């Protein structure tokens, strides 16, 4: 079975390609490489022992997306394509509304058009890459899927709007099967060290920043806030290994294909770790000291955010199983083998 991955050359998409192939599916990567590297395809071929099919183009080109759907007739579509930097979304909201919401509208219209034209081709199962950001500043933790949603930045707003669009499409066409996956904090890398997180410019997120300090690309980490009401005063998050996340996507797809029912689940470990605990785990994984300075809180940050992953376990039979130390060990292996990400590194 072909599975189309929009943004499939990105961080989560590339790792999901591996998990899909290992589960017997045939991933087809759709990407314009605006926020990823063509080198990822070569790395995936090394991991899988065979090439991954690539469709290079822009998801906003609806007619082209229709051609891709007709060419590959995927049993499922996984929608990763979109911009995801919270800070950038505050500075450039229209870029985020255009690319994330406009891109999703284009994809959904292409899917609906091909389905209507071909009739017999059942509407593919759609897995959407959502985010815990839709919970805004949660009133308590752990977070369940029925918590109220809100947005504190344009990026999170786009995820919330796309979730609502998917709900409206399902109400209009009940044969659509949609799985909404709300990620907490994906970190780490495939254990081969061949693929991993490779943010453009200065990393917004904690883990890539810390591993870049460890490898000598950054001088020191700024710890944003040390006066939060947490066990050590620094922010607590639900870090989840990207391979656990990828396996969660496969479980979600299999449920959509077999049970045919739509759902929304959190993909997290249900555990919270602080910034300083992550720093110590990377020091242990790398054997390198991580210099840091305590800095003021970052605007928009919350003290604690971690999942209640019960529904994913009960509905999908999926549970994250890799530890924080596994995440840091695999993140370090990727970073140390690829100090400048895909621009250099051991191919
Ligand atoms: C984690 C903790 C920071 C950087 C974001 C998005 C979310 C999702 C994951 C896409 C916080 C602290 C960070 C640094 C620091 N992305 N920190 N120094 O903010 O929980 O979530 O990424 O879906 O949508 O909002 O992740 O990694 O940025 O921050 O002290 O240089 O690390 O204050 O406590 P966050 P993060």
């Amino acid at each position: 079975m072909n599975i189309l991955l929009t943004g499939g050359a990105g961080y989560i998409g590339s790792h999901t390609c591996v998990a899909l192939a290992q589960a017997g599916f045939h991933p087809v990567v759709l990407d314009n490489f605006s926020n990823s590297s063509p080198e990822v395809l070569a790395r995936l071929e090394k991991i899988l022992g065979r090439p991954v099919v690539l469709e290079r183009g822009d998801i906003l080109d609806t007619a082209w997306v229709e051609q891709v759907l007709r060419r590959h007739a995927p049993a499922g579509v996984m929608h990763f394509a979109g911009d995801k930097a919270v800070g950038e979304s505050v500075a450039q909201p229209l870029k985020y509304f255009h690319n994330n919401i406009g891109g999703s509208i284009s994809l959904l219209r292409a899917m609906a058009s091909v389905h209507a034209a071909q009739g017999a081709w059942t509407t593919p199962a759609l897995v959407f890459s959502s985010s815990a950001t839709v919970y805004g500043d949660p009133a308590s933790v752990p977070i369940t899927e029925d918590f109220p949603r809100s947005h504190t930045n344009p990026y999170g707003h786009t995820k919330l709007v796309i979730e609502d669009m998917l709900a409206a499409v399902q109400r209009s066409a009940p044969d659509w099967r949609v799985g909404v996956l709300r990620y907490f904090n994906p970190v780490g890398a495939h254990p081969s060290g061949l693929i991993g997180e490779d943010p453009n410019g200065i990393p917004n997120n904690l883990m890539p920043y810390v591993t870049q300090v460890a490898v000598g690309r950054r001088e020191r980490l700024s710890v944003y806030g040390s006066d939060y009401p947490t066990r050590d005063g620094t922010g607590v998050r639900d870090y989840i290994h990207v391979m656990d996340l990828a396996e969660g996507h496969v479980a979600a797809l299999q449920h959509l294909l077999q049970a045919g029912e739509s759902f929304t689940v959190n993909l997290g470990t249900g555990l919270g770790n602080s910034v300083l605990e992550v720093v110590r785990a990377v020091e242990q994984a790398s054997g390198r000291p991580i210099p840091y300075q305590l800095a003021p809180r970052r605007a928009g940050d919350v003290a604690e955010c971690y999942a209640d992953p019960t529904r994913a376990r009960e509905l999908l039979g999926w549970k994250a199983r890799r530890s924080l130390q596994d995440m840091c060990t695999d993140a370090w292996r990727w970073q140390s083998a690829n100090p400048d990400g895909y621009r250099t590194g051991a191919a």
Side-chain angles (χ1 to χ4, degrees), residues 5 7-23 27 29 40 43-44 47-48 52 78 80 84 183 186-198 240-250 322 327 330-331 334 342:
L5 288 82
Y11 175 42
I12 314 296
S14 56
H15 287 80
T16 304
C17 269
V18 174
L20 281 168
Q22 289 173 345
V29 167
V40 169
R43 304 294 182 91
L44 287 173
I47 294 170
L48 298 174
V52 173
M78 294 193 171
F80 298 99
K84 64 167 188 173
Y183 307 167
V187 296
H190 185 263
S192 66
L194 287 169
I195 57 175
E197 189 171 10
D198 183 21
I240 176 171
H241 196 294
V242 66
M243 286 313 297
D244 277 328
L245 195 70
E247 290 161 10
H249 284 71
V250 175
R322 293 165 177 92
M327 299 175 210
D330 291 340
W334 150 256
Y342 290 110

Side-chain angles (χ1 to χ4, degrees), residues 86 131 133 155 185 204-206 222 224 237 239 298 301:
V86 169
S131 166
T133 309
Y155 162 75
N185 288 63
N204 297 294
N205 294 139
L206 178 66
S222 293
Y224 296 142
R237 296 291 184 276
Y239 298 98
R298 180 173 65 176
D301 274 355

Side-chain angles (χ1 to χ4, degrees), residues 205-328:
N205 294 139
L206 178 66
M207 184 64 82
Y209 201 105
V210 173
T211 56
Q212 286 188 14
V213 170
V215 82
R217 267 181 76 179
R218 307 280 168 203
E219 189 181 342
R220 75 167 63 81
L221 171 74
S222 293
V223 176
Y224 296 142
S226 53
D227 59 350
Y228 284 110
T230 61
R231 49 183 175 266
D232 64 13
T234 63
V236 170
R237 296 291 184 276
D238 184 333
Y239 298 98
I240 176 171
H241 196 294
V242 66
M243 286 313 297
D244 277 328
L245 195 70
E247 290 161 10
H249 284 71
V250 175
L253 175 70
Q254 289 170 329
H255 188 77
L256 288 173
L257 293 175
Q258 290 154 15
E261 60 178 5
S262 297
F263 55 84
T264 295
V265 293
N266 291 334
L267 291 188
T269 65
L271 303 173
N273 284 109
S274 73
V275 174
L276 294 180
E277 287 166 353
V278 171
V279 168
R280 280 193 286 276
V282 174
E283 287 180 328
Q284 185 172 339
S286 65
R288 307 277 182 91
I290 307 291
Y292 66 83
Q293 61 189 5
L294 300 181
R297 295 182 178 188
R298 180 173 65 176
D301 274 355
V302 300
E304 286 192 291
C305 178
Y306 55 89
D308 177 336
T310 303
R311 185 186 290 181
R313 186 179 70 249
E314 292 180 345
L315 189 70
L316 308 180
W318 170 89
K319 185 178 186 313
R321 53 193 177 84
R322 293 165 177 92
S323 67
L324 178 67
Q325 205 56 55
D326 295 332
M327 299 175 210
C328 295

